[in-house]
């Protein structure tokens, strides 16, 4: 799919997914604030700033540590579920734009197949851990990590292609490993989308790391929240564009 077409068709998908993610982040933040407030027992942060006060609370209250760990786990699970539920609708809309109702219908319809596809790609990544471990044993942990990161990045566009084939009906037995195996076999003939998809995924990881760095370095600046939201929106844009590389226009 052309970049201009992907941007035009995916514009409201980008905004919609961004709103969903911001809503999940706000919900998780409220849970975290409530847990820390209970641990602080009515005390508020001092002049030293938010993060020093938070680290002080975490150091003195095991209950707060458990709460933050639970919060992060919950946020990860909710984010994964949101991705599984929405990706079918995004793929269908990029191929043939429709109404919001059609988007929701496609998202619900393809959610089971998207979930099983995520399970199969997880199995593939576990198998790829074997050569990464061999490289790490022979050439050092850094080399093993780099090889693992590169292989993981390449599995992202392969997974996108498998999911696109499921949604547009090109794949048989949507709940089995065949779509992923077919996408893996065809990857040799799709080197440019494969490379661009991997680069786009690396870009989303860079946005996440950048958002964390901004939050840690400028915790008390009002503009930091908008910088983090902007990086999040850019990450969603890269994700939708990455998915569009696997879509054949209707």
């Amino acid at each position: 799919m052309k970049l201009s077409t992907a941007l035009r068709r995916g514009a409201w998908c980008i905004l919609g997914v961004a709103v969903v993610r911001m809503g999940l982040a706000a919900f998780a933040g409220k849970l975290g604030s409530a847990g820390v407030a209970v641990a602080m027992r009515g005390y508020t942060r001092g002049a030293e700033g938010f993060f020093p006060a938070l680290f002080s609370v975490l150091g003195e209250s095991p209950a707060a540590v458990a709460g933050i760990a639970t919060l992060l786990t919950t946020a990860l699970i909710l984010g994964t579920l949101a991705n599984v539920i929405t990706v079918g609708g995004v793929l269908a809309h990029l191929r043939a734009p429709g109404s919001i109702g059609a988007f929701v219908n496609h998202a619900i319809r393809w959610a089971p197949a998207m979930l099983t596809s995520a399970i199969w790609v997880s199995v593939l990544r576990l198998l790829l851990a074997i050569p990464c471990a061999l490289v790490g044993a022979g050439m050092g942990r850094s080399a093993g990590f780099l090889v693992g990161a590169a292989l993981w990045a390449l599995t992202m566009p392969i997974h996108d292609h498998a999911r696109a084939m499921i949604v547009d009906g090109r794949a048989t037995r949507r709940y089995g490993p065949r779509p992923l195996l077919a996408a893996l076999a065809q990857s040799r003939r799709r080197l440019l989308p494969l490379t661009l998809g991997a680069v786009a995924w690396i870009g989303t990881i860079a946005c996440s790391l950048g958002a964390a760095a901004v939050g840690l370095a400028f915790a008390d600046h009002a503009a930091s929240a908008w910088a983090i939201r902007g990086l999040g929106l850019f990450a969603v844009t890269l994700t939708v564009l990455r998915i569009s590389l696997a879509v054949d226009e209707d």
Side-chain angles (χ1 to χ4, degrees):
M1 175 177 286
K2 295 179 180 179
L3 177 61
S4 58
T5 304
L7 286 172
R8 186 177 70 253
R9 294 185 178 182
W12 76 262
C13 286
I14 293 170
L15 293 176
V17 174
V19 168
V20 170
R21 289 191 176 187
M22 289 177 64
L24 292 174
F27 174 71
K30 290 296 183 182
L31 292 179
S33 298
V36 172
V38 171
M40 293 178 70
R41 299 176 183 176
Y43 290 96
T44 57
R45 69 180 184 182
E48 70 275 10
F50 172 74
F51 279 102
L54 177 61
F55 293 148
S56 176
V57 170
L58 294 178
E60 298 176 3
S61 175
V65 175
I68 294 297
T70 302
L71 165 67
L72 293 176
T73 303
T74 302
L76 178 62
I77 294 174
L78 289 176
T80 302
L81 288 177
N83 176 63
V84 170
I85 292 172
T86 57
V87 70
V90 172
L91 284 165
H93 180 81
L94 288 173
R95 184 171 184 269
S99 63
I100 295 178
F103 176 88
V104 174
N105 178 64
H106 285 302
I108 296 173
R109 174 188 177 189
W110 295 112
M114 298 298 101
L115 177 60
T116 54
S117 179
I119 293 173
W120 286 117
V121 79
S122 297
V123 173
L124 173 63
R125 287 165 180 161
L126 287 175
L127 294 176
L128 291 176
I130 297 175
C132 296
L134 294 176
V135 172
M139 302 177 62
R141 292 182 180 180
S142 298
F145 175 79
L146 290 175
V147 171
L151 291 177
W152 188 290
L154 290 174
T155 62
M156 298 304 298
I158 292 174
H159 189 208
D160 292 337
H161 189 203
R163 294 186 292 188
M165 288 193 295
I166 292 173
V167 171
D168 64 23
R170 286 181 290 153
T172 58
R173 299 189 179 182
R174 67 184 70 162
Y175 299 111
R178 286 191 178 183
L180 184 62
L181 294 176
L184 191 60
Q186 295 174 21
S187 61
R188 295 176 298 175
R189 300 192 298 271
R190 303 180 72 255
L191 293 180
L192 182 58
L194 188 72
T195 303
L196 292 177
V199 171
W201 178 78
I202 293 172
T204 61
I205 298 300
C207 288
S208 299
L209 295 176
V214 170
L216 289 172
F218 306 101
D220 287 334
H221 286 66
S224 63
W226 291 104
I228 292 172
R229 293 186 184 112
L231 287 170
L233 180 61
F234 185 61
V236 173
T237 303
L238 288 177
T239 299
V240 172
L241 291 178
R242 190 199 76 218
I243 292 174
S244 72
L245 294 171
V247 176
D248 289 331
E249 297 179 40
D250 193 351

